[in-house]
């Protein structure tokens, strides 16, 4: 079955540590996205990539970094510079070239930093 | 800039109807609606395109007023399974979706 996988589902880290969240898709989509979700805030865009080896900052990129070395993979690193990293992180993907495309979401990773 | 959704929350009894609104200050090309259950991924419901074309869920309908840059999602004869948080997202070009803060819908027996 095609889809998006994110691992792990729950992640716990100590403050000051960098942590990398995994996102893999086998839908053959060119574009991939990372969103952060906090209670009452909706989904806010962190980074997105429309092609391999290229990515753009979203609205809340500070304290995060990404890479896109393969079409299937778009890992997100939450660095120690991120002030409030505890959140639910959602990865998504979509085809490009058509503005009517829907975005498909992965199951999410809930990160807790103490 | 995030689209504005209203209401923020609504409680319905099974069989009742609801309308969720979404408005934007930007010119929209398309509006997308998703539903999210707690702790799960958002699930696609509906897309409305500039020009009136509509794709999506057979039991939920929506409208898109291009002049007002507003969209409304209509849930009729609600079922318990309709409970969740509904998000609208818009696209003003070949860009990622920008989502509203969501509307929490609770359907009770």
């Amino acid at each position: 079955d095609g889809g998006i996988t994110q691992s792990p589902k729950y992640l716990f880290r100590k403050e000051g540590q960098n942590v990398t969240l995994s996102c893999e898709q086998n839908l053959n989509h060119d574009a991939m996205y990372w969103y952060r979700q906090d209670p009452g805030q909706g989904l806010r865009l962190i980074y997105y990539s429309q092609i391999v080896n290229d990515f753009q900052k979203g609205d809340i990129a500070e304290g995060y970094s990404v890479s896109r070395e393969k079409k299937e993979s778009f890992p997100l690193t939450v660095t120690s510079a991120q002030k409030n990293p505890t959140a639910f992180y959602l990865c998504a993907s979509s085809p490009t070239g058509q503005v009517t495309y829907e975005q498909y979401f992965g199951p999410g990773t809930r990160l807790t930093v103490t | 800039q995030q689209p504005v959704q209203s209401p923020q929350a609504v409680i319905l009894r099974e069989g009742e109807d609801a309308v969720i609104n979404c408005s934007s200050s930007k010119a929209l090309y398309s509006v997308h609606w998703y539903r999210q259950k707690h702790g799960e991924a958002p699930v696609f419901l509906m897309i409305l395109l500039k020009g009136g074309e509509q794709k999506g869920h057979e039991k939920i309908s929506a409208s898109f007023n291009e002049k007002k840059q507003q969209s409304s999602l209509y849930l009729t004869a609600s079922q318990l399974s309709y409970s969740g948080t509904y998000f609208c997202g818009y696209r003003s070009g070949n860009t990622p979706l920008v989502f509203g803060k969501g509307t929490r819908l609770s359907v009770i027996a």
Side-chain angles (χ1 to χ4, degrees):
Chain A
D1 283 332
I4 302 175
T5 56
Q6 292 185 245
S7 59
K9 189 169 179 65
Y10 299 95
L11 191 54
F12 298 89
R13 281 293 183 271
K14 294 288 187 185
E15 196 173 320
Q17 294 179 335
N18 290 356
V19 59
T20 297
L21 280 58
S22 166
C23 177
E24 304 276 335
Q25 56 98 0
N26 61 4
L27 299 167
N28 199 33
H29 288 166
D30 288 313
M32 297 187 73
Y33 315 85
W34 275 105
Y35 289 89
R36 170 182 171 138
Q37 188 172 31
D38 297 283
Q41 295 299 315
L43 290 83
R44 293 182 291 169
L45 184 67
I46 304 173
Y47 268 99
Y48 67 101
S49 167
Q50 294 186 316
I51 195 169
V52 173
N53 292 323
D54 189 40
F55 46 83
Q56 286 76 42
K57 292 182 179 180
D59 300 318
I60 56 165
E62 186 175 347
Y64 299 97
S65 66
V66 293
S67 63
R68 186 86 187 277
E69 297 176 2
K70 298 187 299 181
K71 186 175 183 177
E72 304 80 27
S73 178
F74 192 40
L76 173 75
T77 296
V78 184
T79 74
S80 57
Q82 169 50 235
K83 300 296 181 198
N84 297 297
T86 294
F88 188 47
Y89 291 88
L90 286 158
C91 178
S93 72
S94 68
T96 54
Q98 300 177 43
V99 294
T100 59
Y101 51 75
E102 68 178 89
Q103 290 182 190
Y104 297 78
F105 285 87
T109 292
R110 188 166 296 278
L111 174 65
T112 302
V113 177
T114 57
Chain B
Q1 188 172 0
Q2 286 183 293
V4 177
Q5 287 187 234
S6 63
Q8 290 185 329
V10 59
I11 300 174
L12 299 174
R13 292 199 177 275
E14 272 188 293
E16 291 182 337
D17 302 339
V19 179
I20 300 172
N21 300 303
C22 175
S23 63
S24 171
S25 57
K26 295 190 75 170
L28 306 179
Y29 189 94
S30 62
V31 178
H32 302 233
W33 286 94
Y34 286 78
R35 177 172 62 211
Q36 185 182 31
K37 303 281 186 178
H38 182 69
E40 298 179 5
V43 174
F44 172 77
L45 292 176
M46 182 82 64
I47 179 172
L48 299 108
L49 307 175
K50 190 177 177 181
E53 185 181 350
Q54 171 180 316
K55 299 191 296 181
H57 202 284
E58 63 179 22
K59 294 189 177 181
I60 297 173
S61 62
S63 64
F64 181 15
N65 185 322
E66 294 172 39
K67 260 190 176 180
K68 294 184 177 180
Q69 301 303 318
Q70 288 179 349
S71 178
S72 295
L73 186 72
Y74 305 97
L75 302 136
T76 56
S78 59
Q79 306 167 17
L80 294 174
S81 62
Y82 284 10
S83 292
T85 300
Y86 289 77
F87 293 99
C88 70
Y90 74 77
R91 185 172 283 125
S92 53
N94 190 17
T95 55
L97 284 170
V98 179
F99 288 94
K101 293 186 177 183
T103 295
R104 181 175 293 181
L105 178 74
S106 301
V107 181
I108 58 176

